[in-house]
Amino acid sequence: MTLDDTDRRILNRMQEDLPLCSAPFAAVATELGLTESDLLTRLQAMKDTGVITRFGPFFDAAAMGGAFCLCAMAVPADQFDAVLTKVNAHPEVAHNYERTHRLNMWFVLATETPEGITTTADAIEGETGITVHRFPKLQEFYIGFRVAA
Amino acid sequence: MTHQVSDRDIITALQAGLPLVPAPYAAVAEGLGIDEADLMTRIAAMKSSGVIRRIAAAPNHYKLGMIANGMTVWDVDDARITELGAIIGALPFVTHSYERPRALPDWPYNLFAMVHGSSDAEVEEKRNQIAAILGDACRGRDILYSTRILKKTGLRLRKKEA
C-alpha cells in the first residue's frame, strides 16, 4: 500500500505508548486531529498489508523472570529451508532474520525462565546438528526501536 | 465480582496484539471473563513493573522504505566499551545497540549497533560515522545486512499443560 502523510503521522505516533484508557484510539485520534473511525480504518489497512506487523503490548521477558537471547547459526544454503522450519517451529523464537554473513540465520529467543534459553538453543542444535551461537546482551545502550515513517 | 486471572492469562490474551476496535480492553476483558477496569488496573501494574514496556505498533521497516538494515558489529576495547557504547547508542540513526559476548575465534565482535536507512549507501555512510567515533578503540568491524524476515511474532508463551 502507499502511505499518505496521515498514515505516516499515525505510524510515528503509534510507535509510542498508547494511553491506558477505555477508548485509547479515540484519544490518539483527537491528538492527531482525526476521527476514531478513520484512525481505526487506517490502522487496520496498515496491519492487513503488513506495514504494521503487530499492534499491542511489548513484553519484557526479563522483567517477567524470563530472558532474551540473540542467537546465530551458520546454515548451509542447501539446508536453509529445512533448518528454518525446525527453528521457527519453536514458539520461543520471537523473530528471525536471514543475514549476509557465514552466520546467516539470526534469531531472538524469548523464554519464560533464564534456563529456557539453554534448553531451547540446545534443542535446536540437537535437531539441526548446527551450533547455535549465543549472544546474550551484556549492556543495553539504547532501546529506541522507533523508525521515522 | 470477577474471577481471578493470572498475569500469565492476561499475557496470553494480549500476546497476539490488541484488537483494533474502539474499546479494545473491554473486548479482551470479556474474553478473560473479568471487568474492563480490572484488566486495565492489571495492565497498569504490569507497565509499572516493566513487564509491559509499552503498548504500541511494531512497523515493518521494509514496507516503510527502510530497505537497508545493517547490523553493524565492532570489536571494541573492553576498557572503553561502556563509554563508547553510550555515544553510539545515542546516535539518531542507531535504533538499538548492545554489548554482547564475543564467540572467539569465529566472532570477535562485542558491540552491536543496528542502523536503518533507505539505501545500502546511506547505511555505509552512517557506519563510517560510527567508525570515526570508535577510532583506535576499534580493532575490527563487519556489517550484516538482513535479506529476509524469517519470523516476527514477538513473545509467545507456550501453552501450559492442563
Side-chain angles (χ1 to χ4, degrees):
Chain A
M1 74 182 279
T2 308
L3 300 177
D4 66 17
D5 287 345
T6 301
D7 292 324
R8 289 174 187 281
R9 282 200 301 133
I10 290 170
L11 206 44
N12 286 333
R13 170 61 186 89
M14 297 303 287
Q15 290 180 70
E16 304 291 332
D17 196 19
L18 195 72
L20 187 56
C21 57
S22 284
F25 300 107
V28 170
T30 302
E31 277 178 41
L32 296 174
L34 303 169
T35 65
E36 181 188 45
S37 70
D38 189 21
L39 174 63
L40 284 169
T41 302
R42 286 170 178 271
L43 282 173
Q44 190 65 56
M46 287 192 269
K47 205 173 161 199
D48 291 344
T49 54
V51 171
I52 292 173
T53 54
R54 185 177 172 279
F55 176 76
F58 283 66
F59 296 106
D60 183 342
M64 294 158 55
F68 282 113
C69 186
L70 179 68
C71 298
M73 298 170 77
V75 184
D78 61 348
Q79 295 176 36
F80 198 88
D81 288 348
V83 170
L84 175 61
T85 301
K86 289 174 182 169
V87 170
N88 279 2
H90 290 265
E92 293 84 357
V93 176
H95 25 90
N96 189 355
Y97 288 85
E98 180 183 45
R99 294 191 181 278
T100 53
H101 192 270
R102 197 179 69 83
L103 295 174
N104 55 352
M105 188 183 289
W106 290 77
F107 53 91
V108 171
L109 295 179
T111 62
E112 291 182 63
T113 61
E115 302 75 43
I117 299 294
T118 303
T119 308
T120 308
D122 287 353
I124 292 171
E125 284 186 345
E127 291 161 15
T128 63
I130 298 171
T131 300
V132 176
H133 291 284
R134 298 154 208 199
F135 300 104
K137 74 177 178 195
L138 302 178
Q139 286 193 71
E140 186 163 6
F141 297 116
Y142 188 64
I143 49 157
F145 290 109
R146 292 131 176 103
V147 291
Chain B
M1 191 175 138
T2 62
H3 68 278
Q4 287 292 312
V5 297
S6 65
D7 278 358
R8 190 193 169 81
D9 295 332
I10 292 173
I11 292 164
T12 301
L14 291 173
Q15 63 190 359
L18 267 188
L20 295 173
V21 297
Y25 300 110
V28 173
E30 190 183 352
L32 286 164
I34 62 173
D35 291 339
E36 179 194 31
D38 290 345
L39 176 63
M40 287 169 56
T41 302
R42 297 286 292 275
I43 291 174
M46 292 164 84
K47 287 178 85 168
S48 299
S49 67
V51 168
I52 293 177
R53 284 191 163 189
R54 67 181 185 281
I55 298 171
N60 181 329
H61 297 116
Y62 295 88
K63 299 223 175 184
L64 292 175
M66 309 292 276
I67 53 171
N69 157 7
M71 185 171 80
T72 71
V73 293
W74 310 84
D75 177 8
V76 177
D77 182 353
D78 289 322
R80 299 191 61 198
I81 188 156
T82 298
E83 160 216 345
L84 289 166
I87 295 169
I88 302 306
L91 294 170
F93 51 82
V94 171
T95 51
H96 33 297
S97 180
Y98 300 96
E99 180 192 3
R100 300 186 185 279
R102 298 178 181 88
L104 296 171
D106 295 346
W107 188 261
Y109 310 110
N110 59 340
L111 177 66
F112 288 58
M114 193 64 69
V115 175
H116 293 281
S118 54
S119 67
D120 288 0
E122 185 183 334
V123 171
E124 286 296 336
E125 188 272 323
K126 289 170 173 171
R127 183 184 177 215
N128 288 333
Q129 290 184 43
I130 295 175
I133 292 167
L134 294 176
D136 62 8
C138 173
R139 292 170 298 221
R141 66 177 190 173
D142 203 345
I143 184 165
L144 286 72
Y145 286 101
S146 81
T147 39
R148 252 196 304 168
I149 297 177
L150 304 172
K151 185 177 188 183
K152 192 170 181 182
T153 52
L155 176 71
R156 287 287 193 279
L157 299 180
R158 271 190 183 274
K159 287 204 169 54
K160 279 257 167 91
E161 303 301 324

